[in-house]
Amino acid sequence: MFGRRAAPPSSTMEAAPPAAAPRERAAPVAASAPVGVRSSDLDQRLSDLKIAIFNDLIDSVDPTELGNLEPAQVREEISDIVAEIISMRNMVLSAAEQMAVISDICNDVLGLGPLEPLLARDDIADIMVNGADKVYIESEGKIELTDIKFRDNAQLMNICQRIVSAVGRRVDESSPICDARLADGSRVNVIVPPLAIDGPTLTIRKFKREKLTLDKLVEFGSLTPQASKVLQIASAVRCNILVSGGTGSGKTTLLNCLTRYIDLTERIVTCEDAAELQLQQPHVVRLETRPPNLEGVGAVTMRDLVKNCLRMRPERIIVGEVRGPEAFDLLQAMNTGHDGSMGTIHANTPRDALSRVENMVAMGGYNLPAKAVREQIASAVNVIVQASRLRDGTRKITHITEVIGMEGDVITLQDLFVFEFEGEDARGRVIGRHRPTGLRPAFWDRARYYGLDRDLAEALSEAHV
């Protein structure tokens, strides 16, 4: 139970923290508006009541006791106290209105306020908050504007601070950009004024509660069963894999799927800007970068993590996203016994992915001939999996491509599977097919070493039937 303060609930705090300032309703109140009362007036009345009730709640409980209770117990206690406040203040609320008020206040105190109903929906891939009064979602590949609003930018700012502080980071005028994560691993980006002109901007890339697998991607039509089997074998036989794609194409989801086929006995070290990979193996060490502190020192970059994990006796290194000079250290690791390492990279085609890696190596200040860098890339990377988000919002694996070697100064590639666009249906959905090229994979001997050459041959023969 809370340690309740002696102050009666009819008294209010002079200045309630903006963090928990209640929002307007996240969902319509079931009760209808009284005759002669406009819906906007009813909304304003409920909003004012929530503010008064919240201030009384702050006066009535001892926040230091919150940490001693489970979240479910805290929510139950808050619900009881809010109901008591409503009764003592003689507030006139219908049962539906009272339930909505209690739910909103619990969300403000314990969760992410107006965003809680959206986080509970598993059909939403992204939540995009553009200031206090514009909240967009992406559902089934389409962006929609919701009717959810924050009370003001102060409430939104406090929600942003609550998210980033939970992972030991900060966001304010002196550090206006921050990457963070939610408890379930969902990726969060926050950018606030003065950089964000129209108020704090919050973007959440949600993870589905049901973990996706390659089999699920086959059901969704993202790839064929035969292509899925080839990817499973490539992961199991310790091919070095780059997952390439544009923003929102599903690179991290695909990387998570590929890691499911890593042997349970292997030691895996992951390096990420904000930890979001969800590996199922028992022996996983998760590393995360750190931004500079208030004095501008103490930053730990991705390159620092990749270099350090080489001293941690990893069998596989997985980099959440390769975006800078750490590309050179990852290539070094792939070439020095850490077979089966993986990472994602922003690029539109497999060829572009290799060019980006080459450019990122140059960003590290290495004065190496272009041919030497390309030889390093050709010997390190075995497979590139290209993910794309098509114009109808669907996500497809458009290429499964192998890196074969060098011909002169050019890295040679061969496609194993390619998605071919054929048109669109009456609803505007893209129609196409995944076509096997009929080429024998270069990692055939590796598959034979691991005893999976028959499975690989079976998958390729089925693909041509």
Side-chain angles (χ1 to χ4, degrees):
M1 299 291 288
F2 282 146
R4 301 198 184 186
R5 294 173 176 166
S10 57
S11 65
T12 60
M13 287 185 63
E14 294 180 359
R23 61 175 173 90
E24 298 176 13
R25 295 176 299 165
V29 176
S32 59
V35 176
V37 179
R38 293 180 302 176
S39 177
S40 59
D41 294 337
L42 183 61
D43 288 346
Q44 186 59 47
R45 182 178 71 87
L46 284 178
S47 181
D48 293 340
L49 288 177
K50 290 173 193 174
I51 294 173
I53 294 170
F54 177 79
N55 289 339
D56 286 347
L57 174 69
I58 297 298
D59 276 348
S60 303
V61 302
D62 183 1
T64 59
E65 298 294 326
L66 289 175
N68 299 327
L69 299 177
E70 294 294 326
Q73 294 175 304
V74 175
R75 185 173 288 270
E76 182 179 350
E77 278 295 312
I78 290 177
S79 299
D80 292 342
I81 297 170
V82 169
E84 182 181 332
I85 292 172
I86 291 173
S87 176
M88 293 184 67
R89 273 180 166 265
N90 294 320
M91 295 177 174
V92 180
L93 292 171
S94 69
E97 289 174 335
Q98 181 168 327
M99 288 180 62
V101 168
I102 291 174
S103 176
D104 287 350
I105 290 179
C106 287
N107 288 340
D108 285 332
V109 173
L110 301 174
L112 302 185
L115 300 181
E116 284 295 320
L118 300 181
L119 293 172
R121 288 176 51 182
D122 209 32
D123 63 319
I124 294 177
D126 290 272
I127 301 172
M128 297 153 280
V129 184
N130 303 347
D133 59 350
K134 288 184 180 178
V135 179
Y136 291 86
I137 61 171
E138 182 200 312
S139 180
E140 297 182 355
K142 301 297 184 181
I143 294 179
E144 309 167 11
L145 176 64
T146 70
D147 60 355
I148 290 177
K149 301 178 186 296
F150 290 80
R151 184 177 64 85
D152 53 29
N153 280 333
Q155 183 192 12
L156 173 55
M157 183 67 182
N158 233 304
I159 293 295
C160 295
Q161 290 174 334
R162 183 183 302 173
I163 293 172
V164 303
S165 63
V167 293
R169 300 188 177 188
R170 64 187 180 89
V171 61
D172 49 38
E173 286 190 5
S174 62
S175 180
I177 301 177
C178 184
D179 288 318
R181 68 180 186 278
L182 300 182
D184 64 356
S186 296
R187 182 194 310 168
V188 176
N189 176 265
V190 179
I191 181 166
V192 303
L195 301 187
I197 298 172
D198 298 321
T201 300
L202 171 66
T203 309
I204 300 175
R205 172 68 53 81
K206 281 179 76 267
F207 275 178
K208 291 183 179 292
R209 291 189 182 91
E210 181 184 3
K211 302 298 183 288
L212 289 178
T213 63
L214 286 179
D215 292 337
K216 284 289 184 182
L217 296 184
V218 170
E219 290 180 21
F220 298 153
S222 296
L223 73 167
T224 61
Q226 295 76 25
S228 170
K229 186 65 176 177
V230 170
L231 288 181
Q232 293 176 31
I233 295 172
S235 176
V237 304
R238 299 175 65 95
C239 288
N240 294 323
I241 300 174
L242 277 183
V243 179
S244 169
T247 299
S249 59
K251 297 186 299 299
T252 303
T253 297
L254 182 54
L255 184 60
N256 267 323
C257 293
L258 292 175
T259 61
R260 296 177 65 90
Y261 303 98
I262 297 175
D263 192 273
L264 297 179
T265 63
E266 296 184 39
R267 175 176 168 86
I268 308 165
V269 181
T270 68
C271 305
E272 301 175 79
D273 283 315
E276 53 185 328
L277 293 174
Q278 299 172 322
L279 275 66
Q280 308 300 312
Q281 287 74 12
H283 197 166
V284 178
V285 180
R286 304 169 71 206
L287 306 180
E288 188 177 59
T289 61
R290 185 179 70 184
N293 59 20
L294 285 170
E295 289 75 31
V297 298
V300 179
T301 66
M302 181 68 74
R303 187 175 182 190
D304 295 330
L305 294 184
V306 175
K307 290 173 69 174
N308 183 77
C309 75
L310 295 175
R311 306 183 183 97
M312 298 172 63
R313 203 267 180 203
E315 290 181 292
R316 298 204 195 208
I317 299 171
I318 299 179
V319 179
E321 183 174 340
V322 184
R323 64 175 73 182
E326 68 273 5
F328 182 76
D329 301 288
L330 181 60
L331 292 176
Q332 293 284 82
M334 290 176 169
N335 274 320
T336 54
H338 303 94
D339 293 338
S341 296
M342 304 180 188
T344 71
I345 186 170
H346 279 274
N348 294 323
T349 67
R351 176 69 63 184
D352 289 346
L354 297 183
S355 297
R356 282 217 66 207
V357 172
E358 185 177 346
N359 291 337
M360 287 187 285
V361 170
M363 289 167 57
Y366 299 103
N367 189 20
L368 299 173
K371 185 175 181 179
V373 175
R374 290 170 188 167
E375 288 175 346
Q376 181 91 325
I377 294 171
S379 62
V381 180
N382 301 122
V383 177
I384 302 171
V385 185
Q386 183 69 40
S388 296
R389 178 180 174 182
L390 306 184
R391 55 185 173 84
D392 63 351
T394 58
R395 294 169 173 87
K396 303 285 187 184
I397 308 303
T398 58
H399 294 79
I400 299 177
T401 302
E402 281 191 295
V403 180
I404 301 302
M406 294 280 294
E407 285 187 5
D409 291 340
V410 179
I411 300 175
T412 56
L413 305 177
Q414 76 171 14
D415 294 327
L416 299 180
F417 289 86
V418 178
F419 178 78
E420 293 183 339
F421 171 77
E422 296 177 346
E424 62 180 40
D425 61 17
R427 295 183 302 165
R429 308 279 287 187
V430 170
I431 300 174
R433 68 185 186 97
H434 290 89
R435 178 182 61 83
T437 61
L439 298 175
R440 172 172 165 156
F443 60 86
W444 186 282
D445 290 339
R446 188 188 290 261
R448 184 171 58 186
Y449 174 75
Y450 282 89
L452 295 175
D453 52 324
R454 290 186 179 179
D455 293 338
L456 183 58
E458 181 180 339
L460 293 173
S461 62
E462 289 177 357
H464 292 91
V465 174

